Amino acid sequence: MNRFSIVVLLLLIFKSGFAQMKANEKDFVGYLFAYFEGSSDKFKQEQLRFGVSANAVNWFALNLNQPVISSADISQTGGIRDPHILRAEDGGFLITATDMFTVKNGWNSNPGIVLLKSKDLIDWKHHIIDLAKAYPQKFAKVKWVWAPQTIYDVKAKKYLVYFTVRFHNSNELNFYSAYANKDFNGFDAEPKLMFKPKYGAIDGDIIYKDGIYHLFYKGNTKDAAGKEIKNGIQKATSKSLKGPWVEDFKYLDAYADTTIAVEGSSVFKLNHTDEYILMYDLYTNLRYEFQRSKDLNSFTAKPEQFTKNFNPRHGSIIGITKEEVRRLQNKWGGVPEVLLQPAAPNDRYHFQSKGNPIITHEYTADPAAMVKGDTLWLYAGHDFAGGQKNYKMKDWLVYSTTDLKNWTEYPVPLKIGDFAWAKSGDAFAAQVIARNGKYYWYVSTNWSGIGVAVADRPEGPFKDALGKPLLTNKDCFASTHSWACIDPAVFVDDDGQAWIFWGNRECYYAKLKPSMIEIDGPVKKIDFKDFNFTEAPWMHKYKNKYYLSYATAFPEKIAYAMADQIEGPYEYKGILNEIAGNSNTNHQAIVEFKGKWYFIYHNGAIETEGSSFSRSICIDDLEYHPDGNIKRIVMTTEGVEARVKQ
């Protein structure tokens, strides 16, 4: 970069106030939903919450559906409703919301709105506008100031804030508006009447398309006596934000001719398409539905439903980038893994563990660990989703860390589909070993056998090294069930000899040739007194003793045995790890890293859909007694993060 380029860059940064450059739609990978709640504790409902989606249909609450900002900290009343979020021209974000706490104060009056501003979606500055106090000449008798929203006026180069107003001495519901000042902490001048619908309206939402401003709102129809006979989502249009606004008196939602009430309409454009979504709040039915359009005039007749793990009330949606998605995850959690997982070859997702489980954005199981220099590499099975009723695992994942707190996730390095011979379609437990300047990944595929993949780097990508299984059920000579050939564990001894252990119900082992992709000699079976083997063998060495740990019984615990030689005889030493919470299976990796030993395992502890089939990897300390026996593992919520320095 030359000197001129550096000067230009610095000027751009200075001009933007150090905010990020405004993202383009091409950068959007998902959606952010700002809403308030419609269920659970009523005193917590009227607070700002965020939800995220990859496709604008399936939604996930951030922060376990708890507020991301306390209304008590940002509002005059102690509550907020109807949050509207907008991506600002400088790359930041703006939110407007109704300053109203109906649970505490009722519906009689709310005189103001809340303005929020952020550069990163995480830290927000807020300001309260009380219209009755700020503009008493016009608004001293204001009753309601509802559902404020913001749109950027390209001609005025300002943000127009518009909202519904009702006065105490009137039943009219009209739209008023005012330009926000440059700091977005107040108005330039007293709000003025913007639009006076024939029968009144609430919940306005303006969308600009092809030279026309489309104002969607909840309108109604009244008879000659002034009685409301119909209501629903209507629209007015204008060529200018200053009006005039022309009503068409048509109803756009699918429920206008029914007894089902809707409000809180909001329109947003789907990423990378020419399609728009008109969504609305079926507030008496605890549902949120939507209809589609390409021209904002005609909408699909049949409404569709969101799937979601929260109950949103009147909110709004914007597109968000991968960087923003990851920022939201690192702050609050709850983002679906499809939005976080690296896809491009050079993409990386950096995150911090906050105790156990160490990974909460994905369901991970069957850990295997490898230390290379100052880096611990963690290889994981991947439970497909939360709340599963059976095992669904289609690929494997890889992470690295240098301090057990700060982690890096890499693109998916290996999929079950990479093994053409693996007809089972199951990506079960696996382990990676470094040898000969390469990395060998031994995987189990349920009844299809154990395969080997190879890569030049620990993060992959890996490819099938054999084109066929290394081991199959035929090698499990003492077994009769179809899933006997699983859970490979490879250990390279001090003399350079590599060994592979595996099995279910019976534990098998064999030598590996130096190529690491061929068995050297006969397959043998391990047996000794009190050996109640289920699966998940792992071999490690400490002070010239060999330690065989394994899952025992069902639900599984981890037990271990010791020997002076790798082929035994082994002496049973007892239970090492109790049943891991909310998981019938238990699977361990034991590794020394920077002078300390660690026990890596899985449980089913991710809130709220963790289970025996939707598991999560944890790490706790492993310690030895002076005689070499291992101390019982203490599973903790804090994990090793509790003592890892920042």
Side-chain angles (χ1 to χ4, degrees), residues 437-439 454-462:
K438 294 185 180 297
Y439 299 87
V454 65
D456 295 324
R457 301 185 303 273
E459 70 271 26
F462 287 78

Side-chain angles (χ1 to χ4, degrees), residues 166-361:
R166 179 183 172 186
F167 293 94
H168 280 287
N169 56 357
S170 172
N171 289 325
E172 291 186 358
L173 289 165
N174 299 316
F175 290 105
Y176 281 74
S177 66
Y179 285 111
N181 60 26
K182 64 181 178 125
D183 294 321
F184 204 71
N185 59 13
F187 293 148
D188 274 352
E190 179 183 87
K192 296 180 180 180
L193 180 66
M194 183 181 81
F195 173 44
K196 187 182 177 75
K198 182 176 180 179
Y199 298 116
I202 61 172
D203 298 348
D205 184 32
I206 300 174
I207 300 294
Y208 181 75
K209 177 175 169 56
D210 300 332
I212 300 295
Y213 291 96
H214 302 256
L215 172 56
F216 296 84
Y217 51 85
K218 180 178 180 179
N220 62 87
T221 303
K222 296 178 180 177
D223 61 19
K227 181 181 178 181
E228 183 178 299
I229 57 175
K230 190 175 183 179
N231 65 61
I233 308 303
Q234 296 180 322
K235 189 183 71 168
T237 56
S238 175
K239 292 183 178 180
S240 169
L241 285 171
K242 296 180 180 179
W245 295 91
V246 179
E247 299 178 73
D248 63 13
F249 298 104
K250 297 177 182 178
Y251 288 93
L252 303 174
D253 66 282
Y255 295 98
D257 292 316
T258 72
T259 58
I260 296 176
V262 305
E263 66 180 23
S265 64
S266 183
V267 179
F268 65 95
K269 184 177 178 296
L270 289 177
N271 298 335
H272 319 303
T273 76
D274 59 355
E275 192 169 54
Y276 290 81
I277 295 293
L278 167 64
M279 66 178 191
Y280 39 76
D281 180 3
L282 287 72
Y283 57 99
T284 61
N285 296 79
L286 301 181
R287 300 206 310 270
Y288 230 98
E289 297 185 354
F290 64 94
Q291 295 165 245
R292 302 172 186 264
S293 175
K294 290 189 175 182
D295 59 10
L296 297 181
N297 295 314
S298 59
F299 289 82
T300 51
K302 185 178 180 180
E304 302 173 61
Q305 290 191 16
F306 295 130
T307 65
K308 47 190 169 36
N309 59 0
F310 55 99
N311 178 25
R313 292 295 315 279
H314 186 176
S316 56
I317 291 173
I318 61 170
I320 50 177
T321 67
K322 185 173 285 277
E323 178 185 352
E324 291 158 358
V325 162
R326 291 172 174 176
R327 197 182 302 146
L328 291 165
Q329 168 67 21
N330 291 343
K331 176 65 175 180
W332 289 298
V335 172
E337 65 176 69
V338 67
L339 289 174
L340 298 168
Q341 199 171 66
N346 295 322
D347 189 20
R348 303 289 184 266
Y349 173 40
H350 303 284
F351 64 95
Q352 288 189 339
S353 67
K354 299 177 181 178
N356 284 326
I358 59 169
I359 302 161
T360 58
H361 63 281

Side-chain angles (χ1 to χ4, degrees), residues 67 118 125 209 238 254 330 344 349 365 372 415 440 587 640 646:
S118 174
K125 294 181 179 179
K209 177 175 169 56
S238 175
N330 291 343
Y349 173 40
K372 196 71 175 173
K415 301 177 181 178
Y440 296 88
H587 195 118
V640 297
Q646 298 282 346

Side-chain angles (χ1 to χ4, degrees), residues 28-190:
F28 295 161
V29 298
Y31 304 85
L32 177 65
F33 194 164
Y35 64 97
F36 73 102
E37 253 289 345
S39 57
S40 69
D41 185 344
K42 62 183 180 179
F43 285 97
K44 293 183 179 180
Q45 291 176 14
E46 293 170 309
Q47 302 196 58
L48 178 65
R49 290 170 168 83
F50 285 158
V52 167
S53 173
N55 60 9
V57 175
N58 308 109
W59 290 92
F60 301 86
L62 301 188
N63 201 32
L64 295 174
N65 199 28
Q66 294 303 304
V68 296
I69 303 175
S70 170
S71 292
D73 296 335
I74 60 174
S75 69
Q76 180 175 244
T77 63
I80 67 102
R81 300 172 67 88
D82 322 315
H84 176 259
I85 187 166
L86 178 73
R87 184 179 291 275
E89 295 298 302
D90 65 358
F93 304 88
L94 307 174
I95 289 179
T96 53
T98 307
D99 191 344
M100 194 171 193
F101 195 5
T102 63
V103 173
K104 180 180 178 182
N105 304 322
W107 292 90
N108 184 57
S109 179
N110 83 291
I113 64 177
V114 176
L115 303 179
L116 296 156
K117 184 177 182 179
S118 174
K119 292 181 179 180
D120 57 10
L121 289 173
I122 306 302
D123 299 309
W124 294 86
K125 294 181 179 179
H126 74 279
H127 297 277
I128 297 166
I129 301 179
D130 185 325
L131 267 67
K133 292 179 181 179
Y135 307 104
Q137 186 172 351
K138 176 67 178 177
F139 293 96
K141 295 183 178 180
V142 71
K143 178 180 176 71
W144 292 333
V145 184
W146 279 4
Q149 297 203 173
T150 306
I151 186 170
Y152 185 67
D153 187 335
V154 177
K155 292 183 178 179
K157 292 183 170 52
K158 294 181 179 180
Y159 294 97
L160 185 73
V161 182
Y162 55 98
F163 40 87
T164 298
V165 168
R166 179 183 172 186
F167 293 94
H168 280 287
N169 56 357
S170 172
N171 289 325
E172 291 186 358
L173 289 165
N174 299 316
F175 290 105
Y176 281 74
S177 66
Y179 285 111
N181 60 26
K182 64 181 178 125
D183 294 321
F184 204 71
N185 59 13
F187 293 148
D188 274 352
E190 179 183 87

Side-chain angles (χ1 to χ4, degrees), residues 445-464:
T445 64
N446 201 354
W447 49 263
S448 290
I450 289 171
V452 189
V454 65
D456 295 324
R457 301 185 303 273
E459 70 271 26
F462 287 78
K463 63 180 181 179
D464 187 358

